[in-house]
Amino acid sequence: MKKIALFASGNGTNVQQIAEYFAENKEIKVDCVVVNKQNIYVIERAKNLNLPCFYFNREDFYSTDKVLDLMRLREVDYIILAGFLWLIPQNLLANYDNKIVNIHPALLPKYGGKGMYGHHVHEAVVANHEQESGITIHYVNEKYDSGDIIFQARCKVEANDTPDNVAGKIHLLEKEFYPQTIEKVVLENK
Ligand code: GAR
């Protein structure tokens, strides 16, 4: 049995979808949720999903081993970023080499980098009259959105689409592909 931890900073639709996808899985278990903000809806979702949820602040993340210690204590094998918006610190990268995965709501390398997250991405895609957007699932390194790409899926952006419309299309792709891609990554690297 491989254990995954889900890191999140916001609403948590991806956390919910991943947790539901693996609920009955015999080989992969969602062990816990880690958040870097208080008062975010994902905390409520974790409670409803009966998943332990741990909060760490900036100091904990970047100046201590508290998060790494928790991952080791709970014997977490993979860290899955599900709308988590901080860079991953070196101590986690070193101990989870090729075992930290992120989803980005655009076709990287376009629309990546600092400040390009969530709705900002969809606003930029619409402002630039792109005809398509999509999702990128990738390994995490020390820079934003630049690790090796594992999987991409595309959707059309119509001339009259708003950023909200695009966000809706992206969420559908995330729901369809993120859990199953995580499953592949974990099982193939067993
Ligand atoms: C998702 O669309 C995810 O791709 C994006 O944040 C959203 C989180 O939604 N991630 C990034 O922008 C990472 N740079 P959720 O909290 O409802 O899952």
Side-chain angles (χ1 to χ4, degrees), residues 7-18 41-42 45 81-86 102-106 108 111-113 115-122 134-136 138 144-145 167 170-171 174 178:
F7 283 29
S9 305
N11 184 300
T13 44
N14 279 280
V15 163
Q16 177 107 29
Q17 286 157 188
I18 296 164
Y41 188 58
V42 68
R45 289 188 196 263
L81 310 188
F84 185 76
L85 301 180
W86 286 356
N102 182 41
I103 189 161
H104 187 76
L108 292 174
Y111 302 103
M116 270 295 159
Y117 59 87
H119 222 260
H120 299 288
V121 174
H122 311 310
I135 57 167
T136 303
H138 64 93
Y144 283 109
D145 306 322
I170 296 296
H171 277 300
E174 292 181 339
Y178 201 21

Side-chain angles (χ1 to χ4, degrees), residues 108-171:
L108 292 174
K110 281 181 143 185
Y111 302 103
K114 194 165 164 55
M116 270 295 159
Y117 59 87
H119 222 260
H120 299 288
V121 174
H122 311 310
E123 277 160 24
V125 163
V126 168
N128 287 340
H129 308 289
E130 294 285 355
Q131 293 179 359
E132 63 171 13
S133 189
I135 57 167
T136 303
I137 298 168
H138 64 93
Y139 289 109
V140 171
N141 64 16
E142 69 288 352
K143 288 186 252 145
Y144 283 109
D145 306 322
S146 56
D148 288 349
I149 292 176
I150 302 166
F151 176 87
Q152 291 187 306
R154 293 161 191 275
C155 61
K156 280 215 162 77
V157 177
E158 308 294 346
N160 60 353
D161 272 344
T162 62
D164 277 346
N165 295 142
V166 179
K169 293 179 188 183
I170 296 296
H171 277 300

